[in-house]
Amino acid sequence: MSEIRLYISTTEKQAEHALALMSDAFEEEGFAIATMEIDEKNDIWEASVYVFRPDEAEVYDRFAALLAADFPGVQIQREELPDIDWIAKSLEGLKPVRAGRFVVHGSHDRGTARIGEIAIEIDAGQAFGTGHHGTTAGCLEVIHKVMRARTVRRVLDLGTGSGVLAIAARKLAPVTVLATDIDPIATRVARENVRLNGIASGIALETAPGFHSTAFGHHGPFDLIIANILARPLMRMAPQLAAQLAPGGDVILSGILASQRWKVLAAYNSLGLRHVRTIWREGWVTIHLDNRR
C-alpha cells in the first residue's frame, strides 16, 4: 500500500514547534512524524507526517487545522513514497552504536565488538529499536548505569519493539525479563532477535496492550521497568506502571521529546517516584527515576 508524506517547509525552530503539535495530535494513533534539515545555510527544515492512502484526506484536514493558528498561510505539500522496505534501507551502511557497555550492530558489522563490550545484533525488521535512535541509545546507557550500581533480578521491558533492551538487560546480568508489546509483529520480531543473539532462556515475550495480561502478575513485581514508548501513553499508564515496581526499584522512561519531559516527570513524581537523571540525545530524553527513600 502506498505511503504518503504530508509536510511543510519552515525554519528549524518552527519545525520543532510543529513536531510538538503533531506529537500531541498523532502519536497515539501510530502515525510516524519527523523533522529533517534540507538546507543548513538557509535554515530550511521540513516537518512531516506519514500516512497510508486511505487515511490521507482525514489526516490532511487535521494537519491543516493543527497548523492554522501558529503557521498562517503555510502550504502543506505531498509526496508519494515508493513501496520500499524503509527499515531495511535505513539500516544499510549504519555503523555500530555504542551506549554504556553495549554495542548494537547489524549482521554486516558482526565481530566489531571490542574487549569488554556486549554485542547485540539487530538487523532490519518490522519493529522499532535498532539502537540508532536517541531514545533506544539513551535507554541502553541508563540500563548499564542502573545494573552496574545494584543487583537487579526482575526486569520489565514494556513496548519491547525489536527486543533490543530486553536482550541488553539479559546479556548484562542473569536477570529474568518480561518483554511485552501491543503489536504481535513486534513480539515475533523480538523473539527472532532473542534467538539471533544466542539467548536460550530468561526472556519471556508476551503480546499485551498496556498492563492487561496475567503475565505481569506472574513475573512481577519488577526491580527495573523500562518503557520506551511515547510521552502521552507513559503519562496515562503511570499509576499502573508504578504499581508494578518493587520497593527500591528503578524506572527508565523514553520516547519523550525534550519539551514533554516536565509533564512526564510530574506524572511520576506525583506517585512518589524520584528523579535520578535525564539523558539528552538528539532532541529526545531518557528519564531515570526510582522509588527509594
Side-chain angles (χ1 to χ4, degrees), residues 167-242:
I167 293 166
R170 178 62 181 169
K171 283 199 166 192
L172 190 60
V175 296
T176 59
V177 185
L178 172 63
T180 69
D181 203 286
I182 192 172
D183 183 357
I185 294 175
T187 308
R188 175 177 58 78
V189 170
R191 186 170 287 110
E192 292 169 358
N193 285 330
V194 167
R195 285 196 295 266
L196 175 67
N197 281 273
I199 298 173
S201 64
I203 299 179
L205 286 143
E206 297 282 345
T207 301
F211 288 93
H212 303 299
S213 171
T214 58
F216 296 100
H218 179 69
H219 290 274
F222 302 95
D223 304 307
L224 172 61
I225 298 177
I226 310 154
N228 183 11
I229 310 177
L230 290 167
R232 289 177 67 182
L234 286 173
M235 289 185 283
R236 188 176 62 248
M237 66 176 62
Q240 294 170 294
L241 189 151

